[in-house]
Amino acid sequence: MTATIFKKELTEMLRDGRFRWLSTSVLVLLGAAVLMGMAHTRDVQTQHETAQAAARQDWVGQGEKNPHSAVHYGTYAFKPTMALSAIDPGVDPYVGVSAFLEGHRQNQFEFRPAQDATAMQRFGQLTAATVLQLLIPLLVIVMGFSVFAGEREQGTLRQLMSLGISPGRLALGKALGVSGALAIVLVPAAVLGVVALTLATPGAEVAADAPRLAMMVGAYLLYFGVFVALSLAVSAKAPSSRLALVVLLGFWIVNGLVAPRAVTDVARSLYPSPSSFEFTTGIQAALADGLDGQSPTDARMAAYQQEVLAEYGVDSVDELPISFAGLRFQKSEEMGNEVFDYYYGGLNDTFESQNRVRSLSAVVAPLLAVQSLSMGLAGTDVAQHRHFSEAAEEYRRMYVGRMNEDIAQNAGAGRYVAEAGLWASVPEFDYQAPSVGWVLANHRLSILLLFAWLAVALTLAMRAASALRPV
Amino acid sequence: MLGRIIRHEWTNLAADRTVWVLAGLMALISLYGVYNGATWSAFQRENIAMALDEERDRLAGHRAFVESGQEPASRFRNPLSPDSVGGSMGRRYAYLPPAPLAPLSVGQSDLYPYYFQVSTNSKQSFLNTHELENPSNLLSGRFDLAFVVVYLLPLLILALSYDLLSSEREQGTMAMLLSQPLPLWTLALGKIALRALVVLALALGFSLAGYTAAGGALASMDALLLWMAVVAAYSLLWFGLAVAANALGKGSATNAMLLAGIWLVVVVITPAAVNLVVTTSYPIPSRVELVQALRTATEDANARSAEVLSQYYTDHPEYLPEGEQPDPNDFTLRSYAVREDVERAMAPVLERYDGQLLRQQTLVNRLKWLSPAVVAQEALNDIAGTGLARYQHFLGVVDRYHDELRSYFIPKVSARATMTTADYDAIPVFEYQEESFGEILGRVSAGIVGLALPMLLAFGVGARILRSYPVVG
Amino acid sequence: MLKATDLTKTYNGVAALDRLNLEVAPGDVFCLLGANGAGKTTTINLFLNFIEPSGGTAQVNGLDVTRQPLETKRWLAYIPEQVMLYRHLTGLENLDYFTALSGTDHYPPDQLRAFFKQVGLQDGVADQRVSTYSKGMRQKVGIAIALAKQAKALLLDEPTSGLDPKASNEFSRLLQRLSGEGVAVLMATHDLFRAKESGTRVGIMNQGQLKQTLTTAEIGHADLERIYLEQMHD
């Protein structure tokens, strides 16, 4: 019986000009967005790879010089792009693409792509994620708002119910009908996307991306399920199809437009982030006088010198078996790192708190849950940007430490020049993206809320269907 | 008769509770939007003030040091050296103060830096700053009044007027009405006029209230009037579309779907698609290429530094005191020469970004007429001073100031002069010259025309279709 | 007052109204009888200029309704099968609105209330919202609008169908009073009995044509029914 209802719903939908028109447009938009996204991702990937290789070459080919000059010469970390960012570029346009890794300081990531954009940026890029998060739910609403209310107005519901169909089965059949019609749009799009992605990425990466892609598909299916169930529930409950449409469109607007922006300002006022000015002046002050503001660097350095002298049991640095310059550089580096850890850690924690507010707000708008999960799986969320920048910082500390170590061990009195081979002994910066497990753990709140939304929507739909009255 | 219809419509509308709820909601979110915008403007002002305080204290400290006649502790941080002072110690802030109407539209201002620390160093060294902001927040954008106007106000308008005529037909009152000696267009006009009055009173009222609450000065009334003109033109366009849709004589449900579809295309899909077309037509290369190019150019210039130095003083005889020759081994002088050489080498690379952005903007300017939402947003940003145009104007002002600072310090460096207290007092101070109102007016007027034309078209088409309106059947 | 000359309306080549010739003088009550789709409502819609005629003319007070749609409506009042009013407004507010739109001078509330009394609506009803009205009450408001407008011709489209006999009777009496005051009435109806009672003439329509016109004073009720059924046979 459910199958019969499913078939009738699907047939009706496919014969509806509105549905054909809408679904074709959505499909075209989705296809265009995926293809353009992939072209863009490929460009960026190539640029990053070239740049990273060139940076390494520069580093290795520095020639003979003092390791501390090399520390100042520095190198660059370029953020790699994951293939899945073609589907959801997430925050990538809003974070810098490179950081200069040099001695004495931790630099911010520079060059946000969005700064090189016209005012159109603010209307949003047409990405596959936009289509999936905004337009597909709208398609579901347009298909679903009249499934019960419309039949009631036509009077066919009265006839249907007089046949003795159980409302639950009727609802299930209709839900399947809407989902089936949706599948007609989405399955070709998904196949196209997967094929294109596979062709565009090297084999090893495809294997790595496959679980992420699969989970992304799952997340979106949950999200669409919420809308299918909600549409059915509202359609069954609403006194007229017009009202059902108004209610569902209202929800769509709050979900897709109002909530994401409103939550930005709420999160900012709950967890205000420092201004760039306060942040940099704070770091400068702390670098000079310590985090407590009362331990001047010079004094601490003098104390350290005494400590070292005592350790080696000598009276002056010239008597040390090693070069004190190397130790001093390293000590100053470590004092700086303490400051950077405090400030950058605090800043990132503030961002994380803000993002937690965003995730929690998914209680009001499921879009916020699926958005953050989708970005996470595409490797384009704030957490993974932080992961990368922390890896870059770790690399900076590692290589600066090695240079200082080399100075300490090898520099005698007078001018010290290291051999050109020293640079190559520093391993290349090889960033490992976090595992899927790490991403999922990060987004467990979003996952939970997505499931909760589905459960609530299904319950509502079931209740509304069982209370269905034909008049 | 028109007045009578308007009064009657008011009674009818006022009896509908959802209208009041919608209006209240609109009021609430408008004020919330202005509050957010005002917070952001205040934040910017506060930071500019802090920066200027820091600058004043720092320069006063150095000046006091010079006055005291002490010997500097470090060669690199020497308040007596024009190189140290011009290069870092005496850096000054160039800032873009939020315009009076900035609280009404955040626009692009959260993406662009609003102050720079200008020194004699290359522009590249100070231009790439930005405010610290959670990228997620940048992705979603702010909830400001412009968002309410561009995205949500049309929805209120459509909610009030999607069934302008169709509801009368569905209630059966249409035949009763038209059995009176009443032309249909008078009826439609009266109905739309009342709704327009209500919506405009709301929208303009909240613009004014928000502006006043955000501490707007009476002096910038002209900008506020311009803002209101844009809001009015944009709103009337949506009323025009509602009239045209109703004139087709379809049912309320069809009207609702049709108008919601138009809204989606105009506000969501077209702008995103235009963005896609623009970024695909003129892709801006990733800035990682810039990083590499900069490094290569610097190394190249360093390698040729002797040659570069002589070229430098050939180009800038004004930097060198009459009859003096630069010392080819002077490390400081070399670094200035290298810097300029790098800037020259980088110019074509930077052009690839700026030029491409310019081409994008040109294409946007051509394509934006496809979506009144984009036209409205750009016009509102222009008025609020948070768009690309004012930012580029600011960059121009900064550029001139940068040149001014260099022309002040570099001759002193070249002459190996020592900074005196008088020199400190004479360091050029940044002064922001605002764009002329005429320029803003020109851009915004084009936008208003771009909104008024489709509006007239919608009303015209509506009036035309209305002539064959099916009263019965 | 109302005059149709070769009035024709075709939809896709099918005549909904076929060369109708008809004249309704002041004081006349002309009842159009006929089955559904006979062309009665089409005739009324043509007089109201709600639809364009395919041929012929409809005149009100000597003016062509297509040429002077607004002037002719000054003389007309229209009462459909169901008088539709604004639910949120009271009866009085509805009457006020419609009479204001009809271009007549503004009436003070007392006078508007007087119209309610004239059509037999009790005191207090005028201040209730229309959503509480019965169908009979709505039809009376329709007459009140006609009265206030000082209409010279009344177009009625099955105004009594669905009314209970008492309300129907009251309605007919109001019509008679109006015709007594010199108003021309054109009424489409299914109700032979009501047509015989309140009409001065009846016209029997079938498939867009006016088959026969009778003067009610000259025939009995049984005759009317017989002639009607005969005409319906074709």
Side-chain angles (χ1 to χ4, degrees):
Chain A
M1 171 133 39
T2 310
T4 321
I5 300 167
F6 164 70
K7 233 173 80 185
K8 172 252 164 193
E9 289 292 321
L10 197 59
T11 318
E12 247 188 353
M13 217 109 45
L14 295 183
R15 285 188 191 156
D16 185 348
R18 270 183 322 200
F19 169 74
R20 281 204 300 253
W21 205 86
L22 261 173
S23 51
T24 315
S25 333
V26 168
L27 199 56
V28 168
L29 287 174
L30 192 57
V34 170
L35 292 179
M36 304 286 184
M38 274 180 18
H40 177 74
T41 305
R42 210 172 42 232
D43 284 355
V44 174
Q45 264 171 341
T46 324
Q47 287 163 355
H48 280 200
E49 274 160 26
T50 320
Q52 194 72 66
R56 175 68 184 173
Q57 213 177 358
D58 283 348
W59 171 258
V60 173
Q62 287 182 85
E64 293 182 352
K65 63 164 83 155
N66 183 289
H68 192 64
S69 298
V71 161
H72 276 287
Y73 182 74
T75 190
Y76 286 89
F78 297 102
K79 197 174 172 229
T81 311
M82 285 186 69
L84 286 179
S85 71
I87 294 174
D88 191 347
V91 299
D92 269 4
Y94 301 97
V95 293
V97 292
S98 73
F100 182 40
L101 310 178
E102 59 176 337
H104 308 308
R105 70 179 121 193
Q106 176 174 359
N107 289 315
Q108 290 179 38
F109 271 73
E110 285 184 323
F111 307 117
R112 301 172 180 169
Q115 272 179 295
D116 278 326
T118 61
M120 301 302 299
Q121 183 72 31
R122 267 296 134 86
F123 279 95
Q125 176 80 272
L126 184 67
T127 63
T130 323
V131 176
L132 293 170
Q133 289 166 15
L134 277 182
L135 300 187
I136 302 271
L138 197 62
L139 187 65
V140 171
I141 288 174
V142 170
M143 288 190 295
F145 79 95
S146 66
V147 286
F148 288 117
E151 287 220 33
R152 190 186 292 129
E153 276 156 359
Q154 283 174 35
T156 42
L157 191 60
R158 186 194 286 263
Q159 282 192 11
L160 264 182
M161 307 263 307
S162 74
L163 299 173
I165 298 184
S166 92
R169 288 200 159 186
L170 187 62
L172 183 62
K174 283 178 178 286
L176 290 176
V178 174
S179 314
L182 195 60
I184 291 175
V185 182
L186 288 181
V187 170
V191 170
L192 177 94
V194 169
V195 168
L197 272 177
T198 320
L199 290 179
T201 39
E205 264 181 64
V206 173
D209 283 345
R212 281 173 176 251
L213 184 60
M215 267 176 254
M216 204 189 250
V217 170
Y220 280 110
L221 287 182
L222 283 178
Y223 180 62
F224 302 149
V226 170
F227 274 88
V228 171
L230 275 183
S231 300
L232 253 56
V234 173
S235 187
K237 202 98 193 157
S240 72
S241 59
R242 202 164 115 187
L243 193 65
L245 182 63
V246 169
V247 168
L248 287 167
L249 283 181
F251 176 70
W252 181 82
I253 290 161
V254 171
N255 176 58
L257 291 177
V258 177
R261 284 182 186 249
V263 83
T264 295
D265 291 289
V266 171
R268 277 177 57 89
S269 51
L270 285 178
Y271 298 100
S273 32
S275 72
S276 178
F277 183 81
E278 292 166 318
F279 188 74
T280 41
T281 45
I283 288 181
Q284 306 254 300
L287 284 179
D289 295 318
L291 280 172
D292 55 6
Q294 323 198 324
S295 8
T297 310
D298 297 348
R300 279 190 290 164
M301 195 53 90
Y304 175 65
Q305 189 171 335
Q306 288 311 315
E307 227 173 88
V308 173
L309 293 180
E311 195 183 319
Y312 284 91
V314 292
D315 294 329
S316 76
V317 290
D318 298 334
E319 296 168 46
L320 283 172
I322 51 167
S323 160
F324 184 68
L327 295 185
R328 198 183 61 225
F329 282 138
Q330 188 57 25
K331 179 66 185 172
S332 132
E333 201 63 45
E334 279 160 18
M335 289 195 297
N337 291 348
E338 201 186 331
V339 173
F340 297 129
D341 282 343
Y342 177 79
Y343 275 91
Y344 278 95
L347 180 68
N348 283 324
D349 289 345
T350 308
F351 287 173
E352 246 163 54
S353 304
Q354 289 181 353
N355 288 342
R356 210 161 33 245
V357 174
R358 292 188 85 82
S359 302
L360 260 177
S361 305
V363 171
V364 187
L367 174 113
L368 291 167
V370 80
Q371 189 184 46
S372 93
L373 193 53
S374 164
M375 288 195 292
L377 291 166
T380 55
D381 61 348
V382 180
Q384 277 165 94
H385 179 68
R386 181 179 184 177
H387 187 270
F388 175 73
S389 59
E390 282 173 356
E393 175 62 9
E394 204 177 307
Y395 179 77
R396 179 185 82 83
R397 291 178 187 184
M398 182 276 292
Y399 99 77
V400 172
R402 286 221 187 170
M403 295 300 111
N404 292 337
E405 175 73 14
D406 183 77
I407 296 174
Q409 295 305 329
N410 303 323
R415 206 169 127 76
Y416 167 61
V417 173
E419 284 168 27
L422 174 64
W423 324 128
S425 77
V426 175
E428 208 166 330
F429 177 45
D430 179 26
Y431 174 64
Q432 290 300 321
S435 68
V436 193
W438 186 87
V439 172
L440 291 181
N442 256 335
H443 291 280
R444 50 186 188 274
L445 184 59
S446 297
I447 298 171
L448 183 76
L449 285 174
L450 212 47
F451 274 107
W453 261 104
L454 188 65
V456 169
L458 282 175
T459 315
L460 285 177
M462 236 116 85
R463 280 220 189 148
S466 61
L468 195 63
R469 294 285 171 273
V471 281
Chain B
M1 181 118 40
L2 201 57
R4 192 55 233 236
I5 296 171
I6 292 177
R7 248 184 302 148
H8 169 75
E9 284 299 316
W10 168 248
T11 327
N12 254 336
L13 212 56
D16 191 348
R17 225 174 340 135
T18 44
V19 172
W20 290 101
V21 174
L22 278 178
L25 215 60
M26 200 68 190
L28 224 62
I29 59 177
S30 298
L31 291 180
Y32 180 58
V34 174
Y35 167 77
N36 287 330
T39 313
W40 170 236
S41 288
F43 176 85
Q44 286 184 312
R45 278 181 214 286
E46 206 178 294
N47 273 296
I48 291 172
M50 279 198 291
L52 291 179
D53 279 350
E54 187 272 332
E55 175 189 296
R56 192 195 55 223
D57 293 348
R58 173 163 41 81
L59 285 173
H62 298 329
R63 190 181 180 280
F65 184 89
V66 170
E67 212 166 20
S68 71
Q70 283 173 274
E71 275 303 302
S74 153
R75 192 160 61 86
F76 298 107
R77 293 190 51 80
N78 178 0
L80 294 168
S81 143
D83 173 47
S84 287
V85 176
S88 67
M89 297 170 77
R91 63 187 183 275
R92 294 201 100 131
Y93 290 95
Y95 53 93
L96 178 65
L101 257 59
L104 302 192
S105 171
V106 171
Q108 304 281 93
S109 68
D110 56 348
L111 288 176
Y112 300 140
Y114 53 94
Y115 65 89
F116 298 119
Q117 301 192 25
V118 185
S119 64
T120 56
N121 281 329
S122 72
K123 262 205 305 178
Q124 280 302 315
S125 70
F126 62 77
L127 272 189
N128 291 308
T129 58
H130 45 72
E131 192 47 83
L132 295 175
E133 176 64 291
N134 184 347
S136 307
N137 294 345
L138 292 174
L139 174 65
S140 308
R142 295 291 183 79
F143 196 102
D144 57 359
L145 189 64
F147 166 72
V148 175
V149 169
V150 173
Y151 283 79
L152 304 182
L153 189 64
L155 291 170
L156 176 72
I157 292 170
L158 297 183
L160 289 180
S161 41
Y162 75 99
D163 59 352
L164 198 69
L165 297 176
S166 55
S167 69
E168 297 269 2
R169 236 159 60 107
E170 284 156 14
Q171 282 175 49
T173 39
M174 185 59 103
M176 295 293 295
L177 282 174
L178 292 183
S179 71
Q180 310 299 344
L182 168 71
L184 184 55
W185 65 266
T186 312
L187 178 68
L189 196 67
K191 283 169 154 287
I192 216 75
L194 182 265
R195 284 163 176 79
L197 282 176
V198 170
V199 168
L200 288 182
L202 266 177
L204 301 183
F206 287 117
S207 301
L208 181 67
Y211 171 71
T212 326
L218 227 57
S220 42
M221 264 324 250
D222 41 3
L224 184 65
L225 288 177
L226 208 54
W227 172 280
M228 290 180 163
V230 172
V231 173
Y234 184 62
S235 307
L236 289 177
L237 167 64
W238 286 101
F239 278 114
L241 290 170
V243 170
N246 268 281
L248 292 172
K250 299 281 198 296
S252 297
T254 313
N255 287 350
M257 289 278 254
L258 179 65
L259 288 168
I262 293 178
W263 176 86
L264 185 72
V265 169
V266 167
V267 177
V268 180
I269 295 179
T270 309
V274 166
N275 195 6
L276 190 67
V277 168
V278 167
T279 48
T280 321
S281 310
Y282 300 108
I284 294 185
S286 168
R287 290 264 176 179
V288 296
E289 291 187 358
L290 175 78
V291 171
Q292 203 51 44
L294 189 61
R295 187 153 240 202
T296 315
T298 312
E299 301 211 334
D300 177 58
N302 272 327
R304 297 183 292 111
S305 58
E307 176 200 333
V308 164
L309 181 67
S310 77
Q311 180 64 39
Y312 184 61
Y313 284 102
T314 318
D315 291 349
H316 295 289
E318 76 277 13
Y319 286 170
L320 209 57
E322 200 97 10
E324 240 180 84
Q325 281 302 310
D327 173 3
N329 292 321
D330 187 323
F331 175 77
T332 313
L333 293 186
R334 271 193 190 193
S335 71
Y336 284 88
V338 164
R339 205 177 284 154
E340 183 159 295
D341 190 68
V342 170
E343 278 170 22
R344 195 176 306 125
M346 288 303 289
V349 181
L350 287 173
E351 206 285 327
R352 282 180 48 212
Y353 297 94
D354 299 342
Q356 202 75 333
L357 185 60
L358 195 70
R359 280 183 281 278
Q360 282 198 354
Q361 189 59 46
T362 314
L363 190 60
V364 167
N365 287 344
R366 217 171 310 140
L367 292 180
K368 73 175 178 189
W369 309 110
L370 290 175
S371 163
V374 179
V375 177
Q377 179 78 60
E378 288 222 317
L380 295 179
N381 287 354
D382 261 338
I383 298 167
T386 54
L388 182 60
R390 183 165 181 256
Y391 178 64
Q392 280 176 335
H393 167 79
F394 169 56
L395 289 184
V397 180
V398 172
D399 227 9
R400 284 196 293 281
Y401 178 63
H402 185 220
D403 288 345
E404 209 182 325
L405 270 187
R406 282 188 162 183
S407 310
Y408 181 76
F409 280 110
I410 298 181
K412 290 191 176 23
V413 175
S414 307
R416 296 196 185 78
T418 304
M419 292 292 286
T420 63
T421 51
D423 289 336
Y424 268 95
D425 297 335
I427 300 175
V429 180
F430 178 80
E431 249 174 290
Y432 177 66
Q433 288 111 28
E434 190 59 273
E435 271 184 303
S436 74
F437 185 70
E439 238 168 285
I440 302 172
L441 187 67
R443 286 198 304 268
V444 174
S445 305
I448 293 179
V449 171
L451 291 172
L453 284 182
M455 184 226 339
L456 293 176
L457 187 73
F459 273 111
V461 167
R464 167 125 208 123
I465 314 176
L466 213 51
R467 277 199 227 157
S468 48
Y469 186 80
V471 182
V472 289
Chain C
M1 181 56 58
L2 296 172
K3 187 178 178 192
T5 316
D6 286 336
L7 193 58
T8 304
K9 178 71 189 174
T10 53
Y11 290 105
N12 304 322
V14 180
L17 189 65
D18 192 3
R19 282 160 296 156
L20 174 75
N21 286 291
L22 176 81
E23 213 174 328
V24 186
D28 253 359
V29 178
F30 193 106
C31 297
L32 285 174
L33 290 172
N36 292 328
K40 305 187 301 284
T41 301
T42 307
T43 308
I44 288 176
N45 282 342
L46 283 166
F47 271 108
L48 284 163
N49 194 39
F50 283 179
I51 49 180
E52 293 255 331
S54 313
T57 54
Q59 290 182 330
V60 176
N61 207 14
L63 300 178
D64 187 334
V65 296
T66 56
R67 299 232 184 90
Q68 276 135 319
L70 297 183
E71 283 79 352
T72 52
K73 279 177 190 162
R74 285 192 205 287
W75 312 110
L76 293 177
Y78 169 58
I79 300 179
E81 183 177 349
Q82 175 96 297
V83 171
M84 288 302 187
L85 301 165
Y86 294 99
R87 312 173 43 237
H88 292 307
L89 304 187
T90 65
L92 194 70
E93 285 167 334
N94 269 290
L95 178 62
D96 184 30
Y97 182 53
F98 282 107
T99 46
L101 292 186
S102 70
T104 34
D105 294 337
H106 191 68
Y107 288 108
D110 290 356
Q111 218 160 334
L112 288 174
R113 273 177 215 284
F115 288 121
F116 270 82
K117 202 164 268 174
Q118 278 186 48
V119 298
L121 287 169
Q122 285 102 357
D123 284 347
V125 166
D127 295 316
Q128 284 170 19
R129 287 206 177 186
V130 166
S131 47
T132 64
Y133 281 25
S134 71
K135 183 174 174 191
M137 289 157 84
R138 285 162 181 267
Q139 301 306 89
K140 284 178 180 171
V141 176
I143 299 267
I145 294 171
L147 283 176
K149 188 179 180 180
Q150 294 168 316
K152 296 281 176 285
L154 219 50
L155 297 168
L156 307 170
D157 195 356
E158 301 184 20
T160 56
S161 75
L163 286 188
D164 63 66
K166 179 168 173 286
S168 189
N169 181 272
E170 281 172 12
F171 190 81
S172 295
R173 283 220 225 120
L174 281 171
L175 276 191
Q176 278 165 349
R177 232 182 67 200
L178 281 169
S179 81
E181 286 163 17
V183 174
V185 179
L186 177 64
M187 172 161 75
T189 181
H190 286 301
D191 188 342
L192 297 183
F193 174 75
R194 205 45 71 197
K196 165 82 180 79
E197 287 299 300
S198 47
T200 53
R201 288 191 295 157
V202 295
I204 301 172
M205 295 189 77
N206 192 13
Q207 290 172 358
Q209 288 178 338
L210 182 61
K211 294 289 187 186
Q212 200 168 359
T213 310
L214 304 161
T215 306
T216 49
E218 292 167 4
I219 50 162
H221 185 261
D223 292 334
L224 179 60
E225 184 162 10
R226 183 180 46 77
I227 297 169
Y228 178 81
L229 289 175
E230 268 173 21
Q231 290 294 355
M232 290 302 113
H233 262 298
D234 305 325

